[in-house]
Amino acid sequence: MSTFIIGYDVKSAKRLRRIRRFMAGRAVALQLSVFLFEGTKEACLRCINEACRLLDLKKDDLRCYQLPLNCSHLRLGAATLPEGLYWQDSASICS
């Protein structure tokens, strides 16, 4: 299991709403256009390929970065998850 950061810059409001709904069903929103995806590399590639079908690749930008396996996650600022719900990956629990 790996962790990926997926971010996008979409020029059209319609495509932006579409990609946000799509990503919200597959990953945890960190910011408005930045998501945390956990899964295999193959699952991430499938997600990216499906997301690209929703974009105009001549105008929009989508990027994906794989995080190191044993990295720490730190969040500063307002909570992105509802109150009382906390995100914890299994690597952090087992370390």
Side-chain angles (χ1 to χ4, degrees), residues 25-37:
R26 289 155 182 80
V28 176
L30 299 177
Q31 292 184 345
L32 289 177
S33 60
V34 180
F35 286 80
L36 185 70
F37 180 92

Side-chain angles (χ1 to χ4, degrees), residues 1-19:
M1 188 82 77
S2 297
T3 306
F4 302 85
I5 298 289
I6 301 173
Y8 50 81
D9 181 24
V10 178
K11 304 301 181 193
S12 158
K14 182 178 178 180
R15 288 192 310 273
L16 181 61
R17 285 189 301 273
R18 196 178 317 150
I19 191 72

